[in-house]
Amino acid sequence: MASPGCARPQGSGRTLAGGGKGIELAPSTEHNRLDSYRPYLKKLGVANLLATSDGIEMTSPDGGANHHNAFPLKPRPRVQNNGGPWPDDDLREQIRRLFEHDGTTASSPGCRC
């Protein structure tokens, strides 16, 4: 059940579960989308109890072996994938995009809506 007022209940649920299990660092690694748990931690009043880092989990479009978690990265709200780099079937290209990502541009060959 979603908590009242939470836009993304899975974020608040994950942060509550992590804090309840004694996890000290919970990097946000949402699938192919830059994200942050900071708003949820603040809203729940537990920001001082659980460290976090904004990040992404990148999986190649073919679902293959190119599977990477990366943090810290800076989300850009109201931009597709929160400004995250685009995944790629080519391992070297996907890693290059992560390496070159600076949080100001989404390295995308074009919109993949």
Side-chain angles (χ1 to χ4, degrees):
M1 175 186 287
S3 301
C6 287
R8 297 188 59 207
Q10 68 270 26
S12 60
R14 288 181 185 158
T15 52
L16 274 177
K21 292 179 180 180
I23 292 173
E24 295 176 1
L25 172 64
S28 176
T29 52
E30 297 296 328
H31 187 73
N32 291 335
R33 172 180 163 62
L34 265 174
D35 212 350
S36 177
Y37 291 156
R38 295 175 200 283
Y40 307 110
L41 293 171
K42 184 177 178 180
K43 184 172 186 152
L44 296 167
V46 295
N48 62 326
L49 302 176
L50 181 64
T52 189
S53 182
D54 304 341
I56 193 171
E57 171 191 348
M58 286 180 67
T59 304
S60 59
D62 67 1
N66 299 350
H67 191 89
H68 304 93
N69 288 328
F71 56 91
L73 296 172
K74 183 180 177 182
R76 291 179 54 218
R78 295 176 296 284
V79 174
Q80 187 160 347
N81 298 333
N82 264 353
W86 286 93
D88 198 278
D89 290 333
D90 180 85
L91 173 65
R92 288 184 180 101
E93 178 63 17
Q94 182 160 304
I95 290 174
R96 182 193 66 77
R97 290 177 185 178
L98 275 172
F99 180 77
E100 292 179 355
H101 182 72
D102 64 1
T104 59
T105 58
S107 52
S108 168
C111 181
R112 295 185 184 173
C113 304

